Amino acid sequence: MKILLAACNAKYIHSNLAVYNLKSYAQAYEQNIVLKEYTINQLKDDILKDIYLESPDVVCVSCYIWNISFVKELFCDLAQILPGTSFWAGGPEVSFDAQAFLEENQYFTGVMTGEGEETFLELVKYYVEGTGSLREITGIVYRETAEEGSSSVHHNGWREIMDLSRVPFAYHHLDEFANRIIYYESSRGCPFNCSYCLSSVDKKLRFRDIGLVKKELQFFIDNKVPQVKFVDRTFNCRHDHAMAVWQFIKEKDNGVTNFHFEISADLLREEELELMKTMRPGLIQLEIGVQSTNPRTIQAIRRTMDFQKLSHIVRRIQSFHNIHQHLDLIAGLPYEGYESFRKSFNDVYSLKPQQLQLGFLKVLKGSLMMEKVKEYGIIHKNKEPYEVLSTKWLSYREVLKLKTVENMVEVYYNSGQFHNTLEYMEPYFSDAFSFFEALGRFYDEKGYGEISHSRIRRYEILLEFAERYSMISRETAADKMIMDLYLRENLKSRPGFAFSQKPYEKAVWEYRRRERIPKTAHIEVFRDGRTVLFDYTERDYLTNNASTAEISL
């Protein structure tokens, strides 16, 4: 009896913690379980071939909004070439409408709903030992076929949530995770009830035993894993747990491993901030969900947030200059129209995080937001990822405008490659949002949004955009761009808008010889008379920019 656990990830760099947890929990039947990870970017035929050649008796697949259509198509074909195989689905995309899923996808035998470790173990036991009945397994919805050929769907109810410390450690051999992100959970559930999030469905917050957590983190540290991403929904919701983990990784720091945490910034206490201040640059990075700064919106989505306190803490962490901060906004929330979102954007942008993610509401199955669709006038895509198209407060035309702003923010802000240029140009607009809005409109007018551009071309387009506004000096903008370009790399060829260095070549050569400046460094003379030395052997952790010094030739 062979049971194949399949994961279809969004990208190769990702791994699927869920299937590894299932396998580790059913370790008594380890010889019967094969785990395979694929990506939705692979050819379906290649995956089809790989699963077919394994000759599995049972295939279990993990389903999410980013892979569900891929999985449906793949398993429809699998069922035809593996007619004697049982197919099971699990995960958030099938748990909340399992009966409808089985009715629409007749080739699936059943669905594991909700938390899956104990359910999977019982399912494996049922298939391997050939005893008992599916009727006896809690946490499944399955299809039962009668002798005359008719079938009926049975829902055995949701399983009680389990003690997280009972789940064995999922990682033992790290060879298969080379160049991939390791995901780790030290808690399940969430203390908050955000209406757009499925974590609010799990009302019971549970923590893994801290002794186990430390032992497992030591494994990652010993193996110098590049990055460990905690999947805990609000990592710092319990102060003593967060402190214990952060203190441990600080004491055991190997100088390589980075730990990613999703936190609520306004819950951070002074003790935690003082500890963060002493950490190695790059030891941790923080993802902070703001979502909106509109008080009525925050109340409507049942979110708890003190933006004034959050702002103070984000700025405080910025002052440490050792922690990357990623702040999130969601467009399409109730009571958040275009102008309200403009304010939310400007509020968060003013905090200058390393990343500002402008996302769009996804109306997830099982979420409270799904129940409020009619009340809020939400129109969303019928197909995953069920993204908002319009609401009572936000038209589809405005959603399209926000999509363009999102793209401009991703290219020009989140890349970190245009810092000085943006700092110069933004003040000529009424606010930061207006700058990105106007830039996005320029891209649309020129047809640039439909084309893939090189890095240099992005600068050239920005310079074209600047030329529309007489108050913006083309020469100053060009110098800011040259500064940004050389901060990242020692260019092999100079762009056409660069200030000519020919008059200074002899003086630069003599300075290099006199001061023994290596060829790997760069010296640039700017129009305002400043001469800057770019040293690429030393880089800023947060920006990855070369260190600089003004010199006299």
Side-chain angles (χ1 to χ4, degrees), residues 99-115:
Q99 288 170 288
F101 174 80
L102 290 178
E103 288 168 5
E104 294 169 9
N105 302 278
Q106 293 289 321
Y107 41 90
F108 274 95
T109 306
V111 171
M112 290 179 280
T113 60
E115 205 164 72

mmCIF file with all atom_site columns, all heavy atoms in Angstrom, residues 99-115:
data_model
loop_
_atom_site.group_PDB
_atom_site.id
_atom_site.type_symbol
_atom_site.label_atom_id
_atom_site.label_alt_id
_atom_site.label_comp_id
_atom_site.label_asym_id
_atom_site.label_entity_id
_atom_site.label_seq_id
_atom_site.pdbx_PDB_ins_code
_atom_site.Cartn_x
_atom_site.Cartn_y
_atom_site.Cartn_z
_atom_site.occupancy
_atom_site.B_iso_or_equiv
_atom_site.pdbx_formal_charge
_atom_site.auth_seq_id
_atom_site.auth_comp_id
_atom_site.auth_asym_id
_atom_site.auth_atom_id
_atom_site.pdbx_PDB_model_num
ATOM 1   N N   . GLN A 1 99  ? -18.476 19.419 0.635   1.00 0.00 ? 99  GLN A N   1
ATOM 2   C CA  . GLN A 1 99  ? -19.530 18.671 -0.055  1.00 0.00 ? 99  GLN A CA  1
ATOM 3   C C   . GLN A 1 99  ? -19.715 19.171 -1.482  1.00 0.00 ? 99  GLN A C   1
ATOM 4   O O   . GLN A 1 99  ? -19.819 18.375 -2.417  1.00 0.00 ? 99  GLN A O   1
ATOM 5   C CB  . GLN A 1 99  ? -20.831 18.782 0.740   1.00 0.00 ? 99  GLN A CB  1
ATOM 6   C CG  . GLN A 1 99  ? -20.782 17.962 2.043   1.00 0.00 ? 99  GLN A CG  1
ATOM 7   C CD  . GLN A 1 99  ? -21.968 18.252 2.943   1.00 0.00 ? 99  GLN A CD  1
ATOM 8   O OE1 . GLN A 1 99  ? -22.055 19.327 3.541   1.00 0.00 ? 99  GLN A OE1 1
ATOM 9   N NE2 . GLN A 1 99  ? -22.871 17.297 3.052   1.00 0.00 ? 99  GLN A NE2 1
ATOM 10  N N   . ALA A 1 100 ? -19.725 20.477 -1.649  1.00 0.00 ? 100 ALA A N   1
ATOM 11  C CA  . ALA A 1 100 ? -19.862 21.050 -2.993  1.00 0.00 ? 100 ALA A CA  1
ATOM 12  C C   . ALA A 1 100 ? -18.654 20.676 -3.853  1.00 0.00 ? 100 ALA A C   1
ATOM 13  O O   . ALA A 1 100 ? -18.790 20.377 -5.047  1.00 0.00 ? 100 ALA A O   1
ATOM 14  C CB  . ALA A 1 100 ? -19.990 22.568 -2.908  1.00 0.00 ? 100 ALA A CB  1
ATOM 15  N N   . PHE A 1 101 ? -17.472 20.672 -3.239  1.00 0.00 ? 101 PHE A N   1
ATOM 16  C CA  . PHE A 1 101 ? -16.246 20.314 -3.965  1.00 0.00 ? 101 PHE A CA  1
ATOM 17  C C   . PHE A 1 101 ? -16.344 18.883 -4.496  1.00 0.00 ? 101 PHE A C   1
ATOM 18  O O   . PHE A 1 101 ? -16.000 18.613 -5.654  1.00 0.00 ? 101 PHE A O   1
ATOM 19  C CB  . PHE A 1 101 ? -15.033 20.460 -3.042  1.00 0.00 ? 101 PHE A CB  1
ATOM 20  C CG  . PHE A 1 101 ? -13.744 19.981 -3.644  1.00 0.00 ? 101 PHE A CG  1
ATOM 21  C CD1 . PHE A 1 101 ? -13.032 20.776 -4.524  1.00 0.00 ? 101 PHE A CD1 1
ATOM 22  C CD2 . PHE A 1 101 ? -13.241 18.719 -3.337  1.00 0.00 ? 101 PHE A CD2 1
ATOM 23  C CE1 . PHE A 1 101 ? -11.841 20.335 -5.095  1.00 0.00 ? 101 PHE A CE1 1
ATOM 24  C CE2 . PHE A 1 101 ? -12.055 18.270 -3.894  1.00 0.00 ? 101 PHE A CE2 1
ATOM 25  C CZ  . PHE A 1 101 ? -11.355 19.075 -4.771  1.00 0.00 ? 101 PHE A CZ  1
ATOM 26  N N   . LEU A 1 102 ? -16.819 17.963 -3.669  1.00 0.00 ? 102 LEU A N   1
ATOM 27  C CA  . LEU A 1 102 ? -16.928 16.564 -4.090  1.00 0.00 ? 102 LEU A CA  1
ATOM 28  C C   . LEU A 1 102 ? -18.002 16.377 -5.153  1.00 0.00 ? 102 LEU A C   1
ATOM 29  O O   . LEU A 1 102 ? -17.856 15.547 -6.061  1.00 0.00 ? 102 LEU A O   1
ATOM 30  C CB  . LEU A 1 102 ? -17.220 15.668 -2.882  1.00 0.00 ? 102 LEU A CB  1
ATOM 31  C CG  . LEU A 1 102 ? -16.074 15.494 -1.880  1.00 0.00 ? 102 LEU A CG  1
ATOM 32  C CD1 . LEU A 1 102 ? -16.509 14.623 -0.714  1.00 0.00 ? 102 LEU A CD1 1
ATOM 33  C CD2 . LEU A 1 102 ? -14.839 14.886 -2.546  1.00 0.00 ? 102 LEU A CD2 1
ATOM 34  N N   . GLU A 1 103 ? -19.072 17.136 -5.057  1.00 0.00 ? 103 GLU A N   1
ATOM 35  C CA  . GLU A 1 103 ? -20.128 17.036 -6.061  1.00 0.00 ? 103 GLU A CA  1
ATOM 36  C C   . GLU A 1 103 ? -19.648 17.543 -7.415  1.00 0.00 ? 103 GLU A C   1
ATOM 37  O O   . GLU A 1 103 ? -20.015 17.008 -8.462  1.00 0.00 ? 103 GLU A O   1
ATOM 38  C CB  . GLU A 1 103 ? -21.353 17.826 -5.602  1.00 0.00 ? 103 GLU A CB  1
ATOM 39  C CG  . GLU A 1 103 ? -22.101 17.141 -4.443  1.00 0.00 ? 103 GLU A CG  1
ATOM 40  C CD  . GLU A 1 103 ? -23.131 18.045 -3.794  1.00 0.00 ? 103 GLU A CD  1
ATOM 41  O OE1 . GLU A 1 103 ? -23.334 19.176 -4.308  1.00 0.00 ? 103 GLU A OE1 1
ATOM 42  O OE2 . GLU A 1 103 ? -23.721 17.642 -2.780  1.00 0.00 ? 103 GLU A OE2 1
ATOM 43  N N   . GLU A 1 104 ? -18.798 18.581 -7.395  1.00 0.00 ? 104 GLU A N   1
ATOM 44  C CA  . GLU A 1 104 ? -18.288 19.152 -8.640  1.00 0.00 ? 104 GLU A CA  1
ATOM 45  C C   . GLU A 1 104 ? -17.112 18.368 -9.206  1.00 0.00 ? 104 GLU A C   1
ATOM 46  O O   . GLU A 1 104 ? -16.842 18.425 -10.407 1.00 0.00 ? 104 GLU A O   1
ATOM 47  C CB  . GLU A 1 104 ? -17.850 20.600 -8.399  1.00 0.00 ? 104 GLU A CB  1
ATOM 48  C CG  . GLU A 1 104 ? -19.000 21.546 -8.058  1.00 0.00 ? 104 GLU A CG  1
ATOM 49  C CD  . GLU A 1 104 ? -18.502 22.895 -7.560  1.00 0.00 ? 104 GLU A CD  1
ATOM 50  O OE1 . GLU A 1 104 ? -17.272 23.135 -7.641  1.00 0.00 ? 104 GLU A OE1 1
ATOM 51  O OE2 . GLU A 1 104 ? -19.320 23.693 -7.074  1.00 0.00 ? 104 GLU A OE2 1
ATOM 52  N N   . ASN A 1 105 ? -16.394 17.652 -8.352  1.00 0.00 ? 105 ASN A N   1
ATOM 53  C CA  . ASN A 1 105 ? -15.187 16.938 -8.771  1.00 0.00 ? 105 ASN A CA  1
ATOM 54  C C   . ASN A 1 105 ? -15.334 15.464 -8.394  1.00 0.00 ? 105 ASN A C   1
ATOM 55  O O   . ASN A 1 105 ? -14.830 15.000 -7.371  1.00 0.00 ? 105 ASN A O   1
ATOM 56  C CB  . ASN A 1 105 ? -13.954 17.552 -8.099  1.00 0.00 ? 105 ASN A CB  1
ATOM 57  C CG  . ASN A 1 105 ? -13.805 19.029 -8.415  1.00 0.00 ? 105 ASN A CG  1
ATOM 58  O OD1 . ASN A 1 105 ? -13.294 19.414 -9.455  1.00 0.00 ? 105 ASN A OD1 1
ATOM 59  N ND2 . ASN A 1 105 ? -14.263 19.878 -7.506  1.00 0.00 ? 105 ASN A ND2 1
ATOM 60  N N   . GLN A 1 106 ? -16.031 14.738 -9.254  1.00 0.00 ? 106 GLN A N   1
ATOM 61  C CA  . GLN A 1 106 ? -16.437 13.369 -8.966  1.00 0.00 ? 106 GLN A CA  1
ATOM 62  C C   . GLN A 1 106 ? -15.269 12.395 -8.821  1.00 0.00 ? 106 GLN A C   1
ATOM 63  O O   . GLN A 1 106 ? -15.425 11.318 -8.276  1.00 0.00 ? 106 GLN A O   1
ATOM 64  C CB  . GLN A 1 106 ? -17.377 12.870 -10.078 1.00 0.00 ? 106 GLN A CB  1
ATOM 65  C CG  . GLN A 1 106 ? -18.716 13.584 -10.118 1.00 0.00 ? 106 GLN A CG  1
ATOM 66  C CD  . GLN A 1 106 ? -19.622 13.219 -8.949  1.00 0.00 ? 106 GLN A CD  1
ATOM 67  O OE1 . GLN A 1 106 ? -19.678 12.066 -8.539  1.00 0.00 ? 106 GLN A OE1 1
ATOM 68  N NE2 . GLN A 1 106 ? -20.315 14.217 -8.407  1.00 0.00 ? 106 GLN A NE2 1
ATOM 69  N N   . TYR A 1 107 ? -14.107 12.769 -9.305  1.00 0.00 ? 107 TYR A N   1
ATOM 70  C CA  . TYR A 1 107 ? -12.957 11.873 -9.250  1.00 0.00 ? 107 TYR A CA  1
ATOM 71  C C   . TYR A 1 107 ? -12.282 11.866 -7.879  1.00 0.00 ? 107 TYR A C   1
ATOM 72  O O   . TYR A 1 107 ? -11.400 11.060 -7.606  1.00 0.00 ? 107 TYR A O   1
ATOM 73  C CB  . TYR A 1 107 ? -11.941 12.240 -10.339 1.00 0.00 ? 107 TYR A CB  1
ATOM 74  C CG  . TYR A 1 107 ? -11.741 13.728 -10.522 1.00 0.00 ? 107 TYR A CG  1
ATOM 75  C CD1 . TYR A 1 107 ? -10.778 14.419 -9.796  1.00 0.00 ? 107 TYR A CD1 1
ATOM 76  C CD2 . TYR A 1 107 ? -12.530 14.447 -11.419 1.00 0.00 ? 107 TYR A CD2 1
ATOM 77  C CE1 . TYR A 1 107 ? -10.601 15.774 -9.949  1.00 0.00 ? 107 TYR A CE1 1
ATOM 78  C CE2 . TYR A 1 107 ? -12.357 15.815 -11.581 1.00 0.00 ? 107 TYR A CE2 1
ATOM 79  C CZ  . TYR A 1 107 ? -11.402 16.474 -10.850 1.00 0.00 ? 107 TYR A CZ  1
ATOM 80  O OH  . TYR A 1 107 ? -11.230 17.827 -10.995 1.00 0.00 ? 107 TYR A OH  1
ATOM 81  N N   . PHE A 1 108 ? -12.644 12.796 -6.979  1.00 0.00 ? 108 PHE A N   1
ATOM 82  C CA  . PHE A 1 108 ? -12.100 12.789 -5.628  1.00 0.00 ? 108 PHE A CA  1
ATOM 83  C C   . PHE A 1 108 ? -12.934 11.891 -4.727  1.00 0.00 ? 108 PHE A C   1
ATOM 84  O O   . PHE A 1 108 ? -14.167 11.925 -4.768  1.00 0.00 ? 108 PHE A O   1
ATOM 85  C CB  . PHE A 1 108 ? -12.054 14.200 -5.044  1.00 0.00 ? 108 PHE A CB  1
ATOM 86  C CG  . PHE A 1 108 ? -10.808 14.963 -5.391  1.00 0.00 ? 108 PHE A CG  1
ATOM 87  C CD1 . PHE A 1 108 ? -10.794 15.833 -6.475  1.00 0.00 ? 108 PHE A CD1 1
ATOM 88  C CD2 . PHE A 1 108 ? -9.650  14.809 -4.649  1.00 0.00 ? 108 PHE A CD2 1
ATOM 89  C CE1 . PHE A 1 108 ? -9.647  16.533 -6.810  1.00 0.00 ? 108 PHE A CE1 1
ATOM 90  C CE2 . PHE A 1 108 ? -8.491  15.498 -4.970  1.00 0.00 ? 108 PHE A CE2 1
ATOM 91  C CZ  . PHE A 1 108 ? -8.487  16.363 -6.057  1.00 0.00 ? 108 PHE A CZ  1
ATOM 92  N N   . THR A 1 109 ? -12.246 11.105 -3.906  1.00 0.00 ? 109 THR A N   1
ATOM 93  C CA  . THR A 1 109 ? -12.907 10.217 -2.948  1.00 0.00 ? 109 THR A CA  1
ATOM 94  C C   . THR A 1 109 ? -13.410 10.996 -1.749  1.00 0.00 ? 109 THR A C   1
ATOM 95  O O   . THR A 1 109 ? -14.494 10.735 -1.224  1.00 0.00 ? 109 THR A O   1
ATOM 96  C CB  . THR A 1 109 ? -11.932 9.128  -2.467  1.00 0.00 ? 109 THR A CB  1
ATOM 97  O OG1 . THR A 1 109 ? -11.377 8.460  -3.596  1.00 0.00 ? 109 THR A OG1 1
ATOM 98  C CG2 . THR A 1 109 ? -12.622 8.133  -1.543  1.00 0.00 ? 109 THR A CG2 1
ATOM 99  N N   . GLY A 1 110 ? -12.594 11.960 -1.267  1.00 0.00 ? 110 GLY A N   1
ATOM 100 C CA  . GLY A 1 110 ? -12.984 12.690 -0.074  1.00 0.00 ? 110 GLY A CA  1
ATOM 101 C C   . GLY A 1 110 ? -12.117 13.900 0.202   1.00 0.00 ? 110 GLY A C   1
ATOM 102 O O   . GLY A 1 110 ? -11.145 14.182 -0.515  1.00 0.00 ? 110 GLY A O   1
ATOM 103 N N   . VAL A 1 111 ? -12.489 14.601 1.267   1.00 0.00 ? 111 VAL A N   1
ATOM 104 C CA  . VAL A 1 111 ? -11.794 15.810 1.702   1.00 0.00 ? 111 VAL A CA  1
ATOM 105 C C   . VAL A 1 111 ? -11.488 15.696 3.184   1.00 0.00 ? 111 VAL A C   1
ATOM 106 O O   . VAL A 1 111 ? -12.364 15.307 3.975   1.00 0.00 ? 111 VAL A O   1
ATOM 107 C CB  . VAL A 1 111 ? -12.664 17.067 1.456   1.00 0.00 ? 111 VAL A CB  1
ATOM 108 C CG1 . VAL A 1 111 ? -12.033 18.301 2.096   1.00 0.00 ? 111 VAL A CG1 1
ATOM 109 C CG2 . VAL A 1 111 ? -12.883 17.293 -0.033  1.00 0.00 ? 111 VAL A CG2 1
ATOM 110 N N   . MET A 1 112 ? -10.246 16.028 3.560   1.00 0.00 ? 112 MET A N   1
ATOM 111 C CA  . MET A 1 112 ? -9.892  16.174 4.975   1.00 0.00 ? 112 MET A CA  1
ATOM 112 C C   . MET A 1 112 ? -10.129 17.631 5.340   1.00 0.00 ? 112 MET A C   1
ATOM 113 O O   . MET A 1 112 ? -9.537  18.527 4.744   1.00 0.00 ? 112 MET A O   1
ATOM 114 C CB  . MET A 1 112 ? -8.427  15.792 5.204   1.00 0.00 ? 112 MET A CB  1
ATOM 115 C CG  . MET A 1 112 ? -8.140  14.308 5.042   1.00 0.00 ? 112 MET A CG  1
ATOM 116 S SD  . MET A 1 112 ? -6.391  13.907 5.297   1.00 0.00 ? 112 MET A SD  1
ATOM 117 C CE  . MET A 1 112 ? -5.720  14.364 3.701   1.00 0.00 ? 112 MET A CE  1
ATOM 118 N N   . THR A 1 113 ? -11.018 17.871 6.296   1.00 0.00 ? 113 THR A N   1
ATOM 119 C CA  . THR A 1 113 ? -11.386 19.247 6.638   1.00 0.00 ? 113 THR A CA  1
ATOM 120 C C   . THR A 1 113 ? -10.616 19.731 7.859   1.00 0.00 ? 113 THR A C   1
ATOM 121 O O   . THR A 1 113 ? -10.463 19.007 8.830   1.00 0.00 ? 113 THR A O   1
ATOM 122 C CB  . THR A 1 113 ? -12.891 19.348 6.925   1.00 0.00 ? 113 THR A CB  1
ATOM 123 O OG1 . THR A 1 113 ? -13.222 18.489 8.009   1.00 0.00 ? 113 THR A OG1 1
ATOM 124 C CG2 . THR A 1 113 ? -13.712 18.945 5.714   1.00 0.00 ? 113 THR A CG2 1
ATOM 125 N N   . GLY A 1 114 ? -10.139 20.967 7.779   1.00 0.00 ? 114 GLY A N   1
ATOM 126 C CA  . GLY A 1 114 ? -9.481  21.579 8.936   1.00 0.00 ? 114 GLY A CA  1
ATOM 127 C C   . GLY A 1 114 ? -8.123  20.961 9.242   1.00 0.00 ? 114 GLY A C   1
ATOM 128 O O   . GLY A 1 114 ? -7.409  20.479 8.358   1.00 0.00 ? 114 GLY A O   1
ATOM 129 N N   . GLU A 1 115 ? -7.771  20.999 10.507  1.00 0.00 ? 115 GLU A N   1
ATOM 130 C CA  . GLU A 1 115 ? -6.477  20.497 10.973  1.00 0.00 ? 115 GLU A CA  1
ATOM 131 C C   . GLU A 1 115 ? -6.335  19.017 10.626  1.00 0.00 ? 115 GLU A C   1
ATOM 132 O O   . GLU A 1 115 ? -7.195  18.209 10.977  1.00 0.00 ? 115 GLU A O   1
ATOM 133 C CB  . GLU A 1 115 ? -6.398  20.711 12.484  1.00 0.00 ? 115 GLU A CB  1
ATOM 134 C CG  . GLU A 1 115 ? -5.001  20.818 13.032  1.00 0.00 ? 115 GLU A CG  1
ATOM 135 C CD  . GLU A 1 115 ? -5.036  21.421 14.438  1.00 0.00 ? 115 GLU A CD  1
ATOM 136 O OE1 . GLU A 1 115 ? -5.466  20.724 15.363  1.00 0.00 ? 115 GLU A OE1 1
ATOM 137 O OE2 . GLU A 1 115 ? -4.651  22.586 14.585  1.00 0.00 ? 115 GLU A OE2 1
#
